[in-house]
Amino acid sequence: MEASPSLWHSYLGVILSRERQRMEHFQRAEDILLTLLESVHARDPRFLVDYARNLEAFEFSLCASEDAVTLEVPLRIDGDTLRVLARRSSPEHPAELSACCLELCSPGADLEDWTGAVDGMEHCLLPGKILQRLKELLVSAIVRCQRLFLLQPGDISAENLREDALELSLLIRGSWKPVRFDIVPVVRRQQEPLQLRGRRSDRGFPAGSLSRATEEAHFVPASPLGWRSSTHLPLLKLLRAVDSLQGPRVDSLRLLDQLREQDWGGQAGTGPLTFQHLQMVLLWSAELFPSPEDWQDLEGSVYRLLVILLRCLATQHLPHFLNPEENLFQGAAPDLSSLYHKVESFACDPQRFLRFHFGLHGFSGSCQADRETRALLQLPTRDGSCWDTAYFDILLSQFQVFRIQDSARRSAASQLLARIRQEIPQHS
């Protein structure tokens, strides 16, 4: 059942109306955290204070649930002088297969207490030592700021600071509900801008945005001994670039994330679908639907994300935008099946879901797509044709939200559909 445009915008309007107050609370919590980090820097200048936190604030404003905010603390290390060396894998530590060592080429006295031997390599930066030092300084900073009355009782909870954690979690009161910050030390290093194999650079993004987002590598702790490359901030830079384009692209993300929290079992990050998954879907939709004609109205924009999300849920495969060989749905198969039915129900009958309810549960029951649409969503992936604009245009047509006048695109979608029906006639 098609929902009226006013219903889509009313639902979005409620989401936007709460954003200003949430951001005021976030900024209060962020100010408290910056006060702590300034104290940490005063005690150990190797931990730098980065005041340019607009990307984290942007992410917080978009996310409907109160998920943890990852905050990177840059280290005063010239990353370009480090050697990045792959770690030798072992059966005991399979999670470290993608980890690396950061070896100092010319060890300095001011980093000696942060280094050690790893896999026979000397003078490697050890994340475990850095995290321990940062934890000690944060606890000391909390005590000092309380003594100086820079903090009020109850402003900060350090109960989640764990010995073995790869991030340092603090709950900071910005309002009636605290904000959780996961503090992570980061080594930054210049790198060649990422080249996306087999894909047109900047397709669907402002010119140069991909190069700017990936010109710097970010290494964060993967274990007490190794590091891993983090794409957290590069992805947020791309998300910000998408927001600069005309059309309700990011509003579509806001709306789907509210549904994720309210109806799709995503409260407090417990469901299989996260804000980061939806963010990835939006980035793919920007590339697969680069025409401004795709982003003329809110309903059509939401369905651009929905058809990609449904395909990923049906195949249980969501490729990472910057590392497409990585499946972000890996290991979540049992939960994805029930989630698929919830998302499909919304796609078939959005009117039932575009309203706020304050009970424990959302709507019960489900609405299924027709047999041909379901068959199209579950087509096997073979030659890449099911991850292409023409394929997703077919799905948009199945949900009756295609509305594209470009004759070349309409022809490409028709030809692909005819080929699919010929190859798999039982799906027609």
Side-chain angles (χ1 to χ4, degrees):
M1 184 183 299
E2 186 175 346
S4 67
S6 61
L7 193 58
W8 290 93
H9 285 280
S10 295
Y11 191 78
L12 176 64
V14 175
I15 297 171
L16 293 174
S17 68
R18 302 184 303 180
E19 191 170 298
R20 180 177 176 181
Q21 185 179 39
R22 290 183 71 243
M23 288 311 301
E24 289 175 353
H25 296 161
F26 174 82
Q27 287 164 4
R28 290 193 200 113
E30 185 186 46
D31 288 344
I32 292 172
L33 181 57
L34 287 174
T35 299
L36 287 181
L37 293 177
E38 287 169 350
S39 179
V40 167
H41 174 72
R43 292 277 306 278
D44 192 334
R46 295 176 296 181
F47 294 104
L48 303 177
V49 184
D50 186 354
Y51 293 95
R53 296 295 179 185
N54 57 321
L55 289 173
E56 290 90 344
F58 179 57
E59 179 184 29
F60 185 84
S61 72
L62 297 177
C63 190
S65 58
E66 305 295 335
D67 294 342
V69 178
T70 299
L71 188 135
E72 296 182 355
V73 175
L75 304 178
R76 195 187 64 186
I77 296 172
D78 185 356
D80 298 331
T81 65
L82 300 173
R83 285 203 302 166
V84 181
L85 305 167
R87 286 210 62 194
R88 291 200 293 267
S89 60
S90 66
E92 294 81 11
H93 301 284
E96 294 186 13
L97 292 177
S98 60
C100 62
C101 293
L102 300 180
E103 186 180 40
L104 298 173
C105 296
S106 52
D110 62 334
L111 294 175
E112 207 58 40
D113 60 323
W114 285 0
T115 62
V118 179
D119 297 338
M121 295 174 285
E122 300 291 335
H123 307 298
C124 292
L125 281 175
L126 300 182
K129 289 187 176 183
I130 296 171
L131 283 163
Q132 182 60 34
R133 176 61 174 161
L134 180 55
K135 177 185 173 183
E136 293 169 355
L137 291 172
L138 282 170
V139 172
S140 175
I142 292 172
V143 173
R144 178 177 179 275
C145 289
Q146 287 173 338
R147 286 176 178 170
L148 295 175
F149 301 103
L150 298 175
L151 297 176
Q152 300 300 316
D155 275 350
I156 294 182
S157 170
E159 293 179 359
N160 292 324
L161 285 177
R162 302 195 316 271
E163 288 292 336
D164 57 345
L166 298 178
E167 66 278 323
L168 303 175
S169 293
L170 292 177
L171 286 173
I172 301 181
R173 185 175 63 186
S175 63
W176 63 273
K177 194 169 186 179
V179 178
R180 176 180 158 187
F181 289 94
D182 286 345
I183 303 166
V184 182
V186 60
V187 176
R188 295 176 179 173
R189 173 187 170 93
Q190 292 298 119
Q191 66 176 2
E192 288 295 320
L194 189 66
Q195 300 296 320
L196 301 179
R197 289 173 292 177
R199 292 154 62 188
R200 281 182 276 171
S201 180
D202 284 338
R203 183 176 188 243
F205 293 86
S209 57
L210 182 62
S211 295
R212 289 191 294 272
T214 60
E215 64 188 2
E216 197 174 54
H218 295 232
F219 292 97
V220 298
S223 72
L225 300 177
W227 303 79
R228 64 175 178 84
S229 178
S230 168
T231 58
H232 177 243
L233 286 184
L235 289 171
L236 286 179
K237 289 178 182 179
L238 286 176
L239 187 61
R240 174 69 87 179
V242 170
D243 191 40
S244 70
L245 299 171
Q246 290 187 343
R249 293 167 171 83
V250 173
D251 283 342
S252 301
L253 174 61
R254 285 185 172 97
L255 191 148
L256 289 183
D257 194 60
Q258 179 62 46
L259 288 166
R260 172 188 72 88
E261 199 218 6
Q262 178 174 277
D263 294 307
W264 297 345
Q267 294 93 334
T270 57
L273 191 68
T274 67
F275 172 81
Q276 284 70 33
H277 290 142
L278 291 177
Q279 171 187 279
M280 206 69 64
V281 169
L282 174 59
L283 295 178
W284 279 115
S285 71
E287 179 176 298
L288 290 163
F289 300 110
S291 171
E293 192 178 1
D294 284 292
W295 307 97
Q296 294 296 315
D297 62 86
L298 181 59
E299 180 191 28
S301 299
V302 169
Y303 271 92
R304 264 70 185 168
L305 275 68
L306 272 177
V307 291
I308 295 175
L309 177 59
L310 282 169
R311 170 64 181 176
C312 294
L313 291 172
T315 59
Q316 300 183 353
H317 187 93
L318 171 58
H320 192 292
F321 186 77
L322 297 178
N323 306 306
E325 65 280 0
E326 179 183 351
N327 178 15
L328 298 178
F329 281 162
Q330 186 74 39
D335 296 322
L336 294 179
S337 180
S338 65
L339 177 61
Y340 169 85
H341 294 296
K342 294 177 182 179
V343 178
E344 183 186 49
S345 294
F346 172 75
C348 294
D349 188 9
Q351 186 167 311
R352 283 200 307 150
F353 298 87
L354 292 176
R355 62 193 69 183
F356 285 84
H357 47 83
F358 304 99
L360 293 177
H361 301 285
F363 294 99
S364 59
S366 64
C367 175
Q368 294 185 355
D370 61 70
R371 289 182 61 189
E372 182 175 53
T373 302
R374 299 191 106 193
L376 286 167
L377 284 166
Q378 295 167 3
L379 282 174
T381 301
R382 289 181 294 182
D383 57 0
S385 61
C386 291
W387 196 259
D388 186 75
T389 302
Y391 169 76
F392 289 110
D393 280 348
I394 293 172
L395 293 178
L396 290 174
S397 181
Q398 294 292 118
F399 286 109
Q400 301 179 12
V401 288
F402 186 37
R403 303 170 194 156
I404 295 294
Q405 301 304 314
D406 185 339
S407 59
R409 272 181 65 178
R410 297 176 73 91
S411 176
S414 297
Q415 290 177 22
L416 178 59
L417 181 59
R419 196 184 88 194
I420 290 172
R421 284 173 170 166
Q422 185 176 16
E423 292 178 354
I424 315 178
Q426 63 269 29
H427 286 170
S428 61

